[in-house]
Each structure stands twice: as C-alpha cells, then as structure tokens.
Amino acid sequence: MSERSIGRWATLLAAPLLAATIGACSTPTAIQAYTGPGWYLEKSYLIIASSPKVFGGPFTYEKCEEERIKLGPIVSPEMLCVNHPGRPKPYGFYPS
C-alpha cells in the first residue's frame, strides 16, 4: 500500500471521529451551563467519555417537566430533569 492510499484511509477514518467530537461539544455540560441552583434539563449519554449535556435551566421542577414534554414523544424520554443545588463538580472521565 502506498503512502498516498494510507493517507486517504486515515482521512476517511478520521472524518467521522472529528464530526462526532465537534457535535458532542456543541451543547454545554452541567459545569459550563450552571448559573444558579435549580432544575436543569439534561440528556445523559451511555458512553463514559461524554458528559451529560444541558438544554435548559435553572427551572422549577414543574417548569423543567413542561420543557421536557414540549420536546415531543420521541425525544422527551431521553431527557432528565436534574437538580443542581450547587455548582456541579467534575466526576468520572468527563471533560469539564
């Protein structure tokens, strides 16, 4: 295999990884989105390297549930209302 074809394979393999990395960084994490105590609308991920993403807050619990339900029947089950009484601390392998 020539160097030129190896470079093409590397580019083909790196492009989806780069796109996934950029997409994962577009929504703030709980640490970045924290503005005060309350309930935050978050989406958790099963992959350890990806921290939960915040889509709104701080809310009261009732307002957070309203916002979650507005997302529709497909998306709303994947979202959680999480109470952050203080600034979240980094935990696990999540980047802050």
Side-chain angles (χ1 to χ4, degrees), residues 2 7 11 18 23 33 38-39 43-46 49 58-59 66 72 76 79 85 89 91:
S2 69
T11 302
L18 179 63
W39 292 85
K43 180 175 182 181
S44 296
Y45 292 96
L46 294 175
F59 300 121
E66 286 176 19
S76 64
M79 306 297 277
K89 295 181 174 63
Y91 53 93

Side-chain angles (χ1 to χ4, degrees), residues 4 26 40 47-49 60-61 74:
R4 187 173 184 177
S26 62
Y40 287 80
I47 301 171
I48 292 174
T60 63
Y61 179 75
I74 296 172

